[in-house]
Amino acid sequence: MTVEKRSPVVSILMPVRNEGRFLPAAILSMQRQTFTDWELVAVDDSSSDNTARILADAAAGDKRIIVLQNPAQGLVPALNYGLAACRADLVARMDGDDISHPERLAVQINLLNSNSEIGLVACSFRHFPRQVLRSGMLGYEKWQNSLDTHDKTVADIFVESPFVHPGVMFRKGLVTEIGGYRQMGWAEDYDLWLRLAAGGTRFARTVKPLLFWRDRPERATRTMPEYSLESFRRCKLHHLQAGFLAGVESVVLAGAGKEGRAWRRILMDKGITVSLWVDVDPLKSGRILHGVNVVTPQEVSPKDGKLLITVGTRGARSGIRQWADSAGFVDGTDYICVT
């Protein structure tokens, strides 16, 4: 008689390719978790370094580690292959070059178990090594960790990806119900967050940083075209057209700078025109930009149409939101911040 193996409480999904340099530390950080009822599903995407040997040795010494081989199909197929193999109802993501705090799994599981309405728990995180970080990445870290409630996360979800992918834990059923990961020409994780949000998934975040996200030149977010600014814009617009901009033929753009012009181009590609530009720069107001008037904030109101805020200046978003709110625009209904 065959005895079916009991499923663990959480499955750790870790796709890897040529991560031999940092992989042992990543695996060790999971083995040092205070919560021990887990399985690690590692998907080797045809590595050419010593990754396969490291995984084989780890699996031989720890029966909780399962190694799958993927025939060099890329990240998204590896993620879906591994996700299908995960036996637990809860799935934690992890990458082969990052480090998880020992309490990570315990805290995320507790948050999910204490509130059945929560579908995804992200980790607050810290970049490392700190000495190589530039202001942009430090600003991103500070912004993302500030999204400590569901409402804050949803309000800023079109600004930038609100979660570090290897730091999330989610209910597997929610992800499989919407088709898992997709290969769309843009970041597969951001696409997933936007689909989960559109479906009503509630988000939470750990207060304490429980993921240490390694910054290095060869990281996927720096090297893959799916993570370029243009790809992120296209991803945002795709999802906006499924909701906020459904059926919309023209918009008002707040911000007549470089980012606003980039948004105009992709909007035009989808048949959406710009009816007005809004800018606080007195040198721009009163001018014509691409055949459209540039006006001051005092000259625009919700009757002028849906408003996309494209101002990319760091720290300016809160002030722009205050202006939009005071002018009668409703966040998420009349306007959305996309930068």
Side-chain angles (χ1 to χ4, degrees):
M1 182 179 69
T2 302
V3 179
E4 186 174 346
K5 189 177 180 180
R6 184 185 65 83
S7 296
V9 171
V10 62
S11 297
I12 303 160
L13 173 57
M14 187 173 71
V16 291
R17 180 174 173 81
N18 294 336
E19 292 290 4
R21 182 181 174 191
F22 301 114
L23 184 56
I27 294 173
L28 184 60
S29 77
M30 304 316 298
Q31 291 176 315
R32 288 177 171 173
Q33 293 293 303
T34 59
F35 185 88
T36 59
D37 190 5
W38 50 261
E39 67 176 2
L40 172 61
V41 179
V43 183
D44 181 11
D45 191 35
S46 298
S47 297
S48 58
D49 65 354
N50 61 340
T51 291
R53 179 180 58 78
I54 293 170
L55 291 175
D57 289 347
D62 191 334
K63 299 306 180 185
R64 297 173 299 177
I65 298 175
I66 301 157
V67 181
L68 306 177
Q69 296 296 327
N70 196 48
Q73 295 180 1
L75 177 58
V76 171
L79 283 166
N80 284 326
Y81 183 32
L83 182 63
C86 290
R87 293 180 298 136
D89 294 331
L90 302 180
V91 174
R93 274 283 287 111
M94 181 63 181
D95 280 345
D97 59 343
D98 299 321
I99 303 293
S100 285
H101 187 283
E103 296 176 3
R104 175 193 164 182
L105 294 182
V107 173
Q108 289 182 298
I109 290 168
N110 182 61
L111 283 169
L112 286 162
N113 285 344
S114 64
N115 189 338
S116 61
E117 293 183 354
I118 296 173
L120 180 150
V121 175
C123 287
S124 289
F125 77 98
R126 279 180 62 83
H127 280 106
F128 79 102
R130 303 297 284 184
Q131 62 268 25
V132 303
L133 296 179
R134 297 182 178 179
S135 59
M137 295 308 289
L138 289 170
Y140 177 59
E141 176 186 298
K142 181 179 179 180
W143 167 76
Q144 195 187 109
N145 288 341
S146 74
L147 305 179
D148 53 6
T149 68
H150 172 79
D151 290 343
K152 287 181 182 179
T153 301
V154 171
D156 266 10
I157 201 164
F158 282 101
V159 171
E160 173 59 280
S161 179
F163 310 129
V164 173
H165 195 185
V168 301
M169 182 184 291
F170 52 75
R171 301 187 192 278
K172 180 181 177 181
L174 291 176
V175 173
T176 56
E177 284 169 12
I178 61 174
Y181 292 94
R182 302 193 303 184
Q183 211 150 19
M184 300 288 288
W186 48 65
E188 82 295 331
D189 53 348
Y190 191 33
D191 178 75
L192 180 60
W193 315 149
L194 291 170
R195 283 185 288 141
L196 288 171
T201 296
R202 293 195 64 82
F203 305 123
R205 184 182 303 274
T206 67
V207 175
K208 183 177 181 179
L210 297 179
L211 180 80
F212 301 95
W213 197 31
R214 189 184 301 273
D215 188 57
R216 53 187 177 125
E218 62 270 33
R219 195 169 73 186
T221 53
R222 297 187 181 278
T223 60
M224 293 175 63
E226 292 87 346
Y227 291 87
S228 69
L229 287 175
E230 184 66 12
S231 295
F232 266 82
R233 292 186 196 105
R234 290 190 293 106
C235 179
K236 293 174 187 181
L237 182 54
H238 174 84
H239 288 277
L240 286 168
Q241 286 192 283
F244 180 74
L245 293 180
V248 172
E249 297 180 353
S250 66
V251 297
V252 178
L253 284 185
K258 181 179 178 181
E259 188 65 24
R261 291 196 240 315
W263 268 92
R264 172 189 171 273
R265 289 194 294 271
I266 66 167
L267 287 164
M268 294 288 286
D269 289 342
K270 295 297 183 180
I272 301 174
T273 60
V274 176
S275 59
L276 276 177
W277 296 91
V278 184
D279 205 283
V280 297
D281 187 347
L283 296 178
K284 293 178 181 178
S285 62
R287 294 176 55 192
I288 303 294
L289 181 60
H290 295 294
V292 178
N293 291 328
V294 182
V295 300
T296 65
Q298 292 72 32
E299 297 175 88
V300 68
S301 70
K303 66 179 177 59
D304 292 307
K306 297 275 191 174
L307 173 66
L308 294 183
I309 295 176
T310 64
V311 178
T313 305
R314 187 174 303 279
R317 195 180 309 118
S318 60
I320 294 170
R321 273 199 169 114
Q322 289 176 10
W323 156 73
D325 294 340
S326 64
F329 291 92
V330 177
D331 195 351
T333 300
D334 301 315
Y335 79 90
I336 280 185
C337 293
V338 294
T339 58

